Amino acid sequence: MTVICLLTDFGLRDGYPGVMKGVILGIAPAVQIVDLSHEIPPQDVQAAALTLYRSVRFFPGGTIFVAVVDPGVGTARRAIVAKIGSQYFVGPDNGIFSVLLAEAEDHPQPVWIGELNQPDYWLPVVSRTFHGRDIFAPVAAHLAAGVPVERLSTQIDNPVRLELPEPVKTTAGWIGQVIHIDHFGNLSTNIEARLIDNLETATVVINRVHIEGLVTSFGEQPIGTLVALIDSSGSLAISVVNGSASRRVPASVGDPVELRQHA
Amino acid sequence: MTVICLLTDFGLRDGYPGVMKGVILGIAPAVQIVDLSHEIPPQDVQAAALTLYRSVRFFPGGTIFVAVVDPGVGTARRAIVAKIGSQYFVGPDNGIFSVLLAEAEDHPQPVWIGELNQPDYWLPVVSRTFHGRDIFAPVAAHLAAGVPVERLSTQIDNPVRLELPEPVKTTAGWIGQVIHIDHFGNLSTNIEARLIDNLETATVVINRVHIEGLVTSFGEQPIGTLVALIDSSGSLAISVVNGSASRRVPASVGDPVELRQHA
Amino acid sequence: MTVICLLTDFGLRDGYPGVMKGVILGIAPAVQIVDLSHEIPPQDVQAAALTLYRSVRFFPGGTIFVAVVDPGVGTARRAIVAKIGSQYFVGPDNGIFSVLLAEAEDHPQPVWIGELNQPDYWLPVVSRTFHGRDIFAPVAAHLAAGVPVERLSTQIDNPVRLELPEPVKTTAGWIGQVIHIDHFGNLSTNIEARLIDNLETATVVINRVHIEGLVTSFGEQPIGTLVALIDSSGSLAISVVNGSASRRVPASVGDPVELRQHA
């Protein structure tokens, strides 16, 4: 059974993701539909791109991701399908897949990108404000039903790229940024584990708060301790043991985080 | 695979929708279960009726909708099943399906309504407060497993009707109402596109704010602009481009919205 | 189709439950995955244990529950699998299944508990902070795919027990506690229906508010009335008809509730 995985900023209140599933099941009745998240902050393409980047490797080959954070819906922005390795991606051409595309270039694997331009595979009436329902859901279902990407689209080589902030080298280490604050209040950064020479002797500074040394799990320190650690995405994160770092150290996505590893 | 689609005001925190799914899968193991919404405001039958009305056309024939917004649970209110066209509807007889029934009368299609009165198809013990679990979920699962509506119920012809507010004709156009405010803060009204003679020259007035002309998509105006447009349900709506109209123009469901199309 | 049912405190925003489903479907493509809740309060093992206890009886035999409220992740706390009757339970050894285990002892049924210690059935790389993804999801999927518990684990007989508060007998009746406040604001207690001699003549006292007599359903009293009743879990609860008891009578989990049934 093919997996179709949905990621949107639609919320769960109004029935928008449910309607997309109705459209999908009318075309491909036996797929497995998984919700990745429908709580991406409205119009936050970067947050969606990051959530995809951290998640897709855990899904089986053949999975079709439908990602709809689409502030340009109804304008001239293109609709695209991408095949990266053995997985498929359907959504607006606004950079939502560009972290994955950059990753595919760094660790070479086959990539095919096409502009969706075959209305035969869309709903008969296409609204100007809900392409998730009218274009992306039916295209994903037709993919699952076996229609090849070449029939759904025309190949392009210039998808929109989104530049995510990169950490910067300093004499003492790196300056990165908070790139995600999760449900538990963990502050995840763009400083990946491979940049850290020695977990024990590193110092992490965020908004003037200094944290000496990284722990390897939440449970090493007493409840309530502010700690730095490598999180499950392989990135430097700031947490409070069984508590919320975002409540302890007020921080926003984009705030600088300094890693000092040389005295 | 038959689709069973759930709509409730149960929220996602306490496990109530999950328990309904457990009951369904114990009877009909191979169905596709879809959540339409579990975030209908508590006891708001009208909001549930509207969400159903805007959604069911996107689901395949044969879909079984279970809608449980049920302030009268445990009283003498009836439990019903309806077949409208090729889709099924299971829930309390409190008007939750009446917009769909009115629509079926306007665009004639076969309708069959029955009172659920066959406890053999319910859980063995029926609580007084959770018929979603004890009656509606098992009835939907038995429908999916092939039990005909006539075995589950006795036909009735007087289901409870809920009157939704209708727009009123004025010399200048129409006065309607806000009927839904979505996750993005879009204000959707009961003024349907077919009532609007000329999108470009119409004026929309809500809470003393005037909007001149309708746009055809969010992207036509700069970010932050207050616009009127036809939304994906085919209704007049007030939005802010990449923002929230409900934050810009404080409004509640029921607030009047005026459409002026003749000078 | 085997049912795998997920219960966590992960929230729905960050994609953590979705990633668990990706892992499961990569191993066992044809399972039915059901969300029980992902909105357990962070680190609240007792709330998770209670939600499981009230829900599992409504799921089919063979269901595999994955429960991850896991403040000790990455420490020496064990990971376990339990078979109780015909259902399976996978999660941390922190008492999350202990209400079910106690129930199984009271109403004797076969119980088997093992410590998960076979990394061949985990993801190849195991993080220190997300065992839901790296250990529990793949173990559940391998169970669904037919791997017996004995291959996944080594039997143990000393799982961690969590003591839930029990009601105390008084001369007039019982003193129990609020143990759950749901989405509707209903205050559910640990005083079970079987402890109540006479519903009509009992008095319930919570935070100095007296309620005379229990009703049998919400609809017996006018909208807005504060009532006591037996809820769908078979426990004494305090509700407001079509309203919120937790707004009317400010209360927290743990607050005492008195049942007086003898003058």
Side-chain angles (χ1 to χ4, degrees):
Chain A
M1 298 170 82
T2 303
V3 178
I4 295 183
C5 178
L6 308 181
L7 177 77
T8 76
D9 59 353
F10 293 167
L12 293 168
R13 196 154 49 91
D14 307 301
Y16 302 147
V19 161
M20 289 177 65
K21 296 177 191 178
V23 169
I24 289 168
L25 295 172
I27 296 165
V31 294
Q32 281 273 15
I33 303 178
V34 171
D35 297 305
L36 187 53
S37 174
H38 299 290
E39 305 286 359
I40 298 295
Q43 288 97 35
D44 192 340
V45 178
Q46 182 174 315
L50 183 71
T51 300
L52 277 175
Y53 170 61
R54 292 183 162 194
S55 304
V56 302
R57 76 191 74 179
F58 297 101
F59 282 78
T63 297
I64 299 161
F65 293 88
V66 183
V68 194
V69 176
D70 193 10
V73 63
T75 66
R77 75 100 185 85
R78 298 179 296 194
I80 58 173
V81 56
K83 185 173 185 194
I84 305 176
S86 64
Q87 295 179 324
Y88 298 85
F89 300 87
V90 177
D93 181 27
N94 61 12
I96 200 167
F97 305 128
S98 56
V99 189
L100 296 168
L101 292 170
E103 171 84 356
E105 285 161 7
D106 287 353
H107 304 82
Q109 50 182 319
V111 172
W112 195 98
I113 308 171
E115 179 180 1
L116 296 171
N117 54 10
Q118 299 299 322
D120 286 356
Y121 297 100
W122 306 351
L123 291 197
V125 177
V126 173
S127 72
R128 301 294 292 265
T129 57
F130 192 2
H131 288 185
R133 178 192 70 194
D134 303 332
I135 298 179
F136 302 127
V139 161
H142 284 296
L143 266 175
V147 179
V149 289
E150 294 83 359
R151 282 255 294 282
L152 298 164
S153 68
T154 301
Q155 190 166 18
I156 61 170
D157 59 6
N158 59 348
V160 170
R161 298 293 180 131
L162 187 74
E163 295 302 325
L164 259 73
E166 295 282 346
V168 174
K169 187 94 190 72
T170 66
T171 50
W174 294 88
I175 291 185
Q177 295 186 305
V178 174
I179 55 170
H180 184 68
I181 301 175
D182 78 4
H183 171 72
F184 295 100
N186 299 312
L187 311 174
S188 186
T189 76
N190 58 354
I191 299 175
E192 300 190 355
R194 61 185 167 78
L195 300 180
I196 307 177
D197 299 336
N198 184 321
L199 298 184
E200 284 174 33
T201 61
T203 296
V204 174
V205 186
I206 176 168
N207 293 341
R208 301 193 198 179
V209 176
H210 289 237
I211 305 170
E212 307 293 338
L214 276 72
V215 299
T216 55
S217 73
F218 295 126
E220 274 174 38
Q221 296 286 332
I223 289 177
T225 311
L226 185 72
V227 297
L229 79 174
I230 302 303
D231 69 16
S232 63
S233 298
S235 295
L236 173 67
I238 294 124
S239 298
V240 163
V241 178
N242 293 4
S244 166
S246 68
R247 244 180 262 154
R248 181 76 59 82
V249 182
S252 303
V253 168
D255 282 3
V257 175
E258 189 180 352
L259 173 78
R260 295 183 190 163
Q261 43 195 353
H262 313 294
Chain B
M1 298 170 81
T2 303
V3 178
I4 294 184
C5 178
L6 308 181
L7 178 76
T8 77
D9 61 352
F10 293 167
L12 292 169
R13 196 154 50 91
D14 308 301
Y16 301 146
V19 160
M20 290 178 63
K21 296 177 192 179
V23 169
I24 289 168
L25 295 172
I27 297 165
V31 294
Q32 281 273 15
I33 303 179
V34 171
D35 297 304
L36 188 53
S37 174
H38 299 291
E39 305 286 359
I40 298 295
Q43 288 96 35
D44 191 339
V45 178
Q46 181 174 315
L50 183 71
T51 300
L52 275 176
Y53 170 62
R54 293 183 162 195
S55 305
V56 301
R57 79 191 72 180
F58 296 101
F59 282 79
T63 296
I64 299 161
F65 294 88
V66 182
V68 194
V69 176
D70 193 10
V73 63
T75 67
R77 74 100 186 85
R78 298 179 296 194
I80 58 173
V81 57
K83 186 175 184 192
I84 305 176
S86 64
Q87 295 179 326
Y88 297 86
F89 300 87
V90 178
D93 182 26
N94 61 12
I96 201 167
F97 305 127
S98 57
V99 188
L100 295 169
L101 292 169
E103 170 84 356
E105 284 161 7
D106 287 353
H107 303 82
Q109 49 182 321
V111 172
W112 195 97
I113 308 171
E115 179 180 1
L116 296 171
N117 55 9
Q118 298 300 320
D120 287 355
Y121 297 100
W122 306 351
L123 291 197
V125 177
V126 173
S127 72
R128 301 295 293 265
T129 57
F130 193 1
H131 287 185
R133 178 191 70 193
D134 303 333
I135 298 180
F136 302 127
V139 161
H142 284 296
L143 266 175
V147 178
V149 288
E150 294 82 359
R151 283 255 294 282
L152 298 165
S153 69
T154 300
Q155 190 166 19
I156 62 169
D157 60 5
N158 58 349
V160 169
R161 298 292 181 134
L162 186 75
E163 295 301 326
L164 259 74
E166 295 282 348
V168 174
K169 187 93 190 74
T170 66
T171 49
W174 294 88
I175 292 186
Q177 295 187 305
V178 174
I179 54 171
H180 183 67
I181 302 175
D182 79 4
H183 169 74
F184 294 101
N186 299 312
L187 310 174
S188 187
T189 77
N190 58 353
I191 299 176
E192 299 190 355
R194 61 183 168 78
L195 300 180
I196 307 176
D197 300 335
N198 184 321
L199 298 186
E200 284 174 33
T201 62
T203 296
V204 174
V205 186
I206 176 167
N207 293 341
R208 300 194 197 178
V209 175
H210 290 239
I211 305 170
E212 307 293 338
L214 274 73
V215 298
T216 55
S217 73
F218 295 126
E220 275 174 39
Q221 296 286 333
I223 289 176
T225 312
L226 185 73
V227 297
L229 79 175
I230 303 303
D231 68 15
S232 64
S233 298
S235 295
L236 174 66
I238 294 123
S239 299
V240 162
V241 178
N242 292 4
S244 166
S246 69
R247 243 179 264 152
R248 181 76 59 81
V249 183
S252 302
V253 169
D255 281 4
V257 174
E258 189 180 351
L259 173 79
R260 297 184 188 161
Q261 43 195 353
H262 312 296
Chain C
M1 298 170 83
T2 304
V3 178
I4 295 183
C5 178
L6 308 181
L7 177 76
T8 76
D9 61 352
F10 294 166
L12 292 169
R13 196 154 49 91
D14 308 301
Y16 302 147
V19 161
M20 289 176 66
K21 296 177 191 177
V23 169
I24 289 168
L25 295 172
I27 297 165
V31 294
Q32 281 274 14
I33 303 178
V34 171
D35 297 304
L36 188 53
S37 174
H38 298 290
E39 304 286 359
I40 299 294
Q43 288 97 36
D44 192 339
V45 177
Q46 182 174 315
L50 183 71
T51 300
L52 276 176
Y53 170 62
R54 293 183 161 194
S55 304
V56 302
R57 77 191 74 180
F58 297 100
F59 282 78
T63 297
I64 299 161
F65 294 88
V66 182
V68 194
V69 177
D70 192 11
V73 63
T75 67
R77 74 99 185 85
R78 297 180 295 194
I80 58 173
V81 56
K83 185 174 185 192
I84 304 176
S86 64
Q87 296 179 324
Y88 297 86
F89 300 87
V90 178
D93 181 26
N94 61 12
I96 201 166
F97 306 128
S98 57
V99 188
L100 295 168
L101 292 170
E103 171 84 356
E105 285 161 6
D106 287 353
H107 304 83
Q109 50 182 319
V111 172
W112 196 97
I113 308 171
E115 178 180 2
L116 296 171
N117 54 8
Q118 299 300 321
D120 287 355
Y121 297 100
W122 307 351
L123 291 196
V125 177
V126 173
S127 71
R128 301 294 293 264
T129 58
F130 193 1
H131 288 186
R133 178 191 71 193
D134 303 334
I135 297 179
F136 302 127
V139 161
H142 284 296
L143 266 175
V147 178
V149 288
E150 294 83 358
R151 282 256 293 282
L152 298 165
S153 68
T154 301
Q155 190 167 17
I156 61 171
D157 59 6
N158 59 348
V160 169
R161 298 291 181 133
L162 187 74
E163 294 301 326
L164 259 73
E166 294 282 348
V168 174
K169 187 95 190 73
T170 66
T171 49
W174 294 88
I175 292 185
Q177 294 186 305
V178 174
I179 54 170
H180 184 67
I181 301 175
D182 79 3
H183 171 74
F184 294 101
N186 299 312
L187 311 175
S188 186
T189 77
N190 58 353
I191 299 175
E192 299 190 356
R194 62 184 168 78
L195 300 181
I196 306 176
D197 298 335
N198 184 322
L199 298 185
E200 284 174 33
T201 61
T203 296
V204 175
V205 186
I206 176 167
N207 294 340
R208 301 193 197 178
V209 175
H210 289 238
I211 305 169
E212 306 293 338
L214 275 72
V215 298
T216 55
S217 73
F218 295 125
E220 273 174 41
Q221 296 286 332
I223 289 177
T225 312
L226 185 73
V227 297
L229 79 175
I230 302 303
D231 68 16
S232 63
S233 298
S235 294
L236 174 67
I238 294 124
S239 300
V240 162
V241 177
N242 293 3
S244 166
S246 69
R247 244 179 262 153
R248 180 77 58 84
V249 183
S252 303
V253 168
D255 281 3
V257 174
E258 190 179 351
L259 174 79
R260 296 183 188 160
Q261 43 194 353
H262 313 294

